[in-house]
């Protein structure tokens, strides 16, 4: 007869022990396990694992006929339980209210039910690991292409140092790694490209000569309390231990950047965006649409090519903008997808006329002030958190973001210039964890305190935050970031420019830009009729070529006249300019219906009143409180916390 053994079990409800026999089968343990778990637990969903996470999980009911001794369990071994709970059994679709009376902050103050989070960013668990991400995660085609490249930097034969023949190679002419510091310093490349950084850390993490198992080299920072601590104590803020609390944060400049260069396909794209400021004197916000391409100027580099700027509903003022709810956001993204584009980033203006009468502007952003304010960094961090970068080299299947932030402001010469930035991965996680908040001083970011009180406060754990700087004696010293620290530690600079030969995707961008009624520019059917040349142009192919305008495509999508297939064909004609596809579009019933409508009338059909319509006369008044209160929250320059990015 086998000697009884003691097995230990651990779940999110705590730990317990059961005395069993090695000859017992796994399903026979269910009664003893369910007795020690809550009544709402579904016994069929209970799984066993040899690790708290990332282990080999098996349902107990599926192990019928398998004895404990067959899997090598011995006296004192520990197994980890996971399970699901039953839904409400009384027909009520709402879960029972949660009790908050026992929840307390670390300083002992109670957490009230009315206190909610201030950061509306989807929170992901660090334990949601993906098994074999290199097999399951779907990257972008550009990332797959760069993964297949060697990335070596070739060098010619050094006639002074090389002593070998034309087919030989030595240390002076052998190819360099894409992350070689001397080469980057020589070319004045400040940051490594994403794939160069990946090669660098992967060569240190995985060594093929050791024949060890592959480990994903990338892992995102996580500064929140882990919700699934294996210690078995109550969840934070009722309990915390060294296993689930985040470590101290030491800020330093990020070595790499996810995107190296921002390229605007034509100057007209930026010029049309600036026309709003020229006409109104107010600032403007727009989203960048385009594609990512390989950037040859940086080893294994990536560039964002901007083909169009879409301006969402907003209220613009001389010192900032207020973003409203964007009702047709999904529709615009769908049109961009059919055109082979995606949302690349955001751009906004910060311009003040110098008053000289020569078109010069005031230089506000420079090395002695700031390049991106703390409020704008928080805004960019929220957007980057909304658009993560999928990669098979990370244990969670994502790492960083390709989303860029561009600012149109004055340079030191008084000219209008574009600058491009990203915020670091640490900045995104600190904003997501609600550790930092913007300051009234643009060049300084504040670190929150657990003692903060107010209707918007919530239970949070604030770890220690440090940063390193060069003191007055030239030594590198570590400083405490509380209560504030410079925003430069959260910034990553990108290069930008225009192509030598402009080859824009959209060749006829003359249609009125959306949401500009406040300056007297509206999108009407008569404008479509004029741009397509309906009734005035006998060449139908000319009308098809005139449809190469992203703003026109979005307006036609909102009309709902064309079918999905016809819209996809129209987008293909607008981007490829293929006459064969154009003549195919002319024969479709949807396009014939559109032409018939345009021939009959040039007036815009009546539509329901929009909550974003603003009377221009009232817009120019100083008191805009009535309009602002009725709009969706989201002030870019006044109240960033109100911006909902779900």
């Amino acid at each position: 007869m086998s000697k009884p053994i003691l097995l230990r079990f651990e779940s999110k409800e705590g730990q317990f022990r059961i005395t069993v026999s090695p000859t017992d089968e796994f399903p026979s343990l269910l009664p003893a396990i369910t007795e020690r778990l809550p009544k709402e637990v579904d016994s069929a969903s209970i799984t066993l694992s040899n690790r708290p996470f990332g282990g080999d999980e098996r349902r107990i009911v599926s192990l019928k006929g398998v004895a404990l001794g067959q899997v090598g369990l011995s006296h004192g071994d520990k197994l980890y339980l996971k399970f699901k709970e039953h839904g409400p059994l009384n027909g009520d679709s709402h879960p029972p209210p949660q009790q908050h009376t026992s929840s307390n902050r670390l300083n002992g103050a109670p957490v009230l039910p009315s206190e909610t989070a201030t950061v509306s960013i989807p929170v992901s668990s660090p334990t949601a690991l993906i098994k074999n991400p290199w097999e399951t995660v779907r990257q972008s085609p550009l990332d797959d292409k760069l993964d297949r490249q060697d990335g070596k930097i070739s060098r010619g034969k050094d006639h002074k140092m090389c002593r070998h023949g034309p087919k030989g190679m030595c240390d002076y002419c052998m190819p360099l790694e894409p992350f070689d510091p001397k080469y980057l310093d020589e070319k004045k490349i400040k940051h490594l490209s994403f794939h160069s950084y990946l090669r660098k850390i992967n060569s240190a993490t995985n060594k093929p000569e050791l024949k060890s198992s592959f480990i994903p080299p990338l892992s995102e920072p996580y500064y929140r309390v882990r919700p699934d601590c294996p210690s078995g104590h109550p969840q934070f803020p009722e309990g915390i231990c060294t296993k689930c609390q985040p470590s101290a944060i030491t800020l330093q400049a990020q070595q790499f950047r996810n995107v190296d260069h921002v390229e605007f396909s034509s100057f007209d794209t930026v010029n049309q965006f600036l026309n709003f400021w020229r006409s109104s004197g107010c600032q403007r916000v727009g989203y960048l649409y385009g594609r990512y391409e390989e950037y040859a100027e940086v080893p294994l580099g990536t560039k964002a090519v901007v083909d169009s700027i879409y301006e969402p509903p907003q209220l613009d003022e001389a010192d900032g903008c207020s973003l409203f709810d964007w009702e047709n956001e999904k529709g615009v993204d769908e049109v961009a997808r059919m055109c082979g584009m995606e949302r690349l980033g955001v751009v906004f203006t910060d311009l003040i006329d110098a008053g000289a009468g020569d078109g010069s502007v005031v230089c506000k952003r420079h090395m002695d002030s700031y390049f991106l304010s703390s409020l704008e960094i928080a805004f960019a961090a929220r957007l980057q958190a909304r658009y993560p970068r999928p990669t098979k080299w990370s244990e969670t299947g994502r790492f960083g973001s390709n989303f860029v932030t561009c600012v149109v402001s004055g340079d030191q010469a008084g000219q209008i210039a574009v600058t491009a930035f990203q915020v670091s991965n640490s900045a995104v996680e600190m904003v997501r964890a609600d550790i930092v908040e913007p300051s009234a001083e643009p060049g300084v970011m504040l670190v929150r305190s657990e003692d903060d009180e107010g209707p918007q406060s919530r239970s949070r754990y604030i770890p220690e935050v440090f940063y390193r700087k060069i003191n007055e004696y030239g030594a590198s010293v570590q400083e405490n970031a509380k209560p504030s620290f410079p925003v430069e530690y959260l910034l990553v600079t990108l290069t930008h420019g225009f192509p030598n030969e402009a080859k824009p995707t959209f060749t006829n961008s003359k249609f009125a830009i959306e949401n500009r009624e406040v300056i007297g520019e509206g999108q009407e059917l008569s404008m479509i009729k004029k741009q397509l040349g309906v009734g005035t142009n006998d060449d139908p192919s000319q009308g098809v070529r005139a449809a190469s305008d992203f703003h026109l495509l979005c307006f036609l999508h909102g009309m709902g006249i064309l079918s999905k297939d016809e819209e996809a064909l129209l987008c293909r004609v607008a981007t490829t300019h293929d006459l064969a596809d154009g003549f195919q579009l002319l024969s479709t019933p949807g396009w014939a219906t559109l032409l018939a409508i345009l021939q009959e009338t040039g007036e815009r059909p009546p539509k329901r009143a929009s909550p974003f319509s603003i009377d221009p006369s009232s817009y120019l008044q100083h008191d805009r409180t009535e309009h602002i209160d009725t709009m969706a929250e989201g002030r870019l320059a006044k109240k960033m916390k109100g911006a909902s990015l779900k």
Side-chain angles (χ1 to χ4, degrees), residues 283-285 314-317 319-323 634-637:
Q283 310 306 327
R284 195 67 170 167
V285 178
Q314 56 191 283
L315 177 63
D316 305 305
E317 302 180 60
D319 59 346
C321 306
S322 301
L323 297 179
R635 299 186 60 83
L636 172 62

Side-chain angles (χ1 to χ4, degrees), residues 609-631:
S610 172
F612 306 118
S613 59
I614 302 176
D615 184 11
S617 61
S618 63
Y619 177 83
L620 297 176
Q621 296 176 2
H622 294 288
D623 186 11
R624 304 171 187 154
T625 307
E626 296 181 2
H627 299 283
I628 298 175
D629 291 342
T630 57
M631 305 301 177

Side-chain angles (χ1 to χ4, degrees), residues 350-366:
D350 184 17
L351 297 168
I352 299 177
D353 187 20
D358 55 357
S360 59
V361 293
V362 176
C363 178
K364 296 173 56 179
R365 300 167 185 259
H366 48 81

